[in-house]
Amino acid sequence: MDGREYLEMKRIKRADAMGYWLRADIEPVLEVDLNESFVVETEDAFSGYIRRPEDRFSPESIPPLRMEPVGMNPVAGPIYIRGVGKGDVLVVHIEEIEPWEQGVSCIMPGVGPLKDSLTWPECAGPFTKIIPHQPGPDGKYATGKAVWNDRMSWDLRPMIGTIATAPEWEQEAAIVAQGPWGGNMDVSDMCKGTKAMFPSYHEGGLLFVGDVAGCQGDTEFHGAHDDTPATVKLRCDVIKNKKIPWVRLEKEDSIVQICCDKPLESAVEQAVLWLVQWLVDEYGFEKRDAYMLMACCPGLRVRVYQMVSTGKLRYTAGAEFSKRYLP
């Protein structure tokens, strides 16, 4: 695809991607057809207020922190997908994620396991870290590196931190929203090449997207990954008249069942049990075989994507099963 075709796609501009609610009663900002690629320009989770190391994360320096709900984690949407109805599964194909030239991470006061540490008070915040991004050989940041300092860098692996369909009844602040419909789950596998599946509770599916990270370690331990503005290219499909219990992913080599819950063992247990059901319902496994494989087969891996103790956020676990062992 050349640049001209990319520019001709339907697009949500960054200035129009600054919503803070997941709700079904918001007027759609874009309508697309099934299998029509479109572009979303997202702002970072700090609403673009932190661009320099001196832009500290605090109510005094970041105006959105005084909003209600807190003006963090902006999302674009809802996006109405023609052909998707209530009771369907919305399938989102993540085609491209191009992060910006830099990201930012913050130690936020009151957030993280060292939020009130007397031993390491410098880890209680506030502190801002700007993370420069270097483009890759093709000139794109998506294939480049994050530069921590003059000794340490790593490959960027951009991901969508917050993605959801509109909840059936609730209205949820995007910063703490989590449910079967998705939300702020910070799943690092929500990246290029992934096919993500969401229950649809409304006509059009009503998709929300935001909170892109250049990269993230498992658990997002202190509460802020490599937050960055980004340009995201998506395409949507539908599975008609199908129910799934929570968000599911299909990667090139595996399938992943997601669950958000507390305590962590509840999230893991439920994700694995829903994976067992998935194997039975769609891949023809006998119930006993599917259940026993969870303890015997090395094709099962458990990921802890997000484990941040703040607000009403629960922990995000993913039960992943290798396609090598599927029929």
Side-chain angles (χ1 to χ4, degrees), residues 49-200:
Y49 279 88
I50 301 178
R51 297 291 197 234
R52 307 165 301 167
E54 55 266 32
D55 295 334
R56 303 283 177 165
F57 185 96
S58 69
E60 294 74 31
S61 61
I62 309 297
L65 295 179
R66 296 189 289 272
M67 293 171 55
E68 184 60 40
V70 172
M72 288 182 60
N73 226 62
V75 292
I79 300 159
Y80 187 101
I81 298 95
R82 302 183 190 100
V84 177
K86 181 177 181 179
D88 295 339
V89 169
L90 174 64
V91 182
V92 180
H93 299 263
I94 304 174
E95 297 189 325
E96 302 282 348
I97 307 175
E98 175 66 5
W100 194 45
E101 64 187 22
Q102 69 178 36
V104 60
S105 190
C106 293
I107 297 175
M108 298 176 282
V111 177
L114 295 179
K115 60 189 176 184
D116 53 3
S117 175
L118 297 178
T119 305
W120 289 10
E122 65 267 46
C123 294
F127 178 77
T128 298
K129 174 77 173 180
I130 300 297
I131 305 171
H133 296 160
Q134 288 182 344
D138 59 359
K140 296 181 179 181
Y141 290 107
T143 58
K145 292 187 177 293
V147 181
W148 189 254
N149 54 34
D150 58 2
R151 301 187 313 276
M152 186 184 301
S153 65
W154 51 77
D155 291 342
L156 287 165
R157 189 171 184 265
M159 50 163 277
I160 302 171
T162 300
I163 181 168
T165 51
E168 184 170 18
W169 303 108
E170 311 93 318
Q171 56 177 13
E172 296 278 353
I175 188 173
V176 291
Q178 292 174 325
W181 27 263
N184 182 4
M185 303 178 296
D186 286 321
V187 173
S188 57
D189 283 323
M190 202 72 74
C191 57
K192 179 180 177 179
T194 291
K195 182 170 74 174
M197 291 164 271
F198 303 84
S200 171

Side-chain angles (χ1 to χ4, degrees), residues 24-78:
D25 61 349
I26 303 173
E27 189 71 19
V29 297
L30 187 70
E31 291 192 15
V32 297
D33 292 321
L34 291 175
N35 289 307
E36 175 185 4
S37 295
F38 59 95
V39 174
V40 181
E41 299 175 2
T42 64
E43 185 51 272
D44 67 38
F46 302 111
S47 298
Y49 279 88
I50 301 178
R51 297 291 197 234
R52 307 165 301 167
E54 55 266 32
D55 295 334
R56 303 283 177 165
F57 185 96
S58 69
E60 294 74 31
S61 61
I62 309 297
L65 295 179
R66 296 189 289 272
M67 293 171 55
E68 184 60 40
V70 172
M72 288 182 60
N73 226 62
V75 292

Side-chain angles (χ1 to χ4, degrees), residues 175-178 184 262 306 308-315:
I175 188 173
V176 291
Q178 292 174 325
N184 182 4
K262 272 188 176 182
Q306 185 193 66
V308 179
S309 295
T310 184
K312 66 174 189 175
L313 280 178
R314 292 166 286 171
Y315 301 150

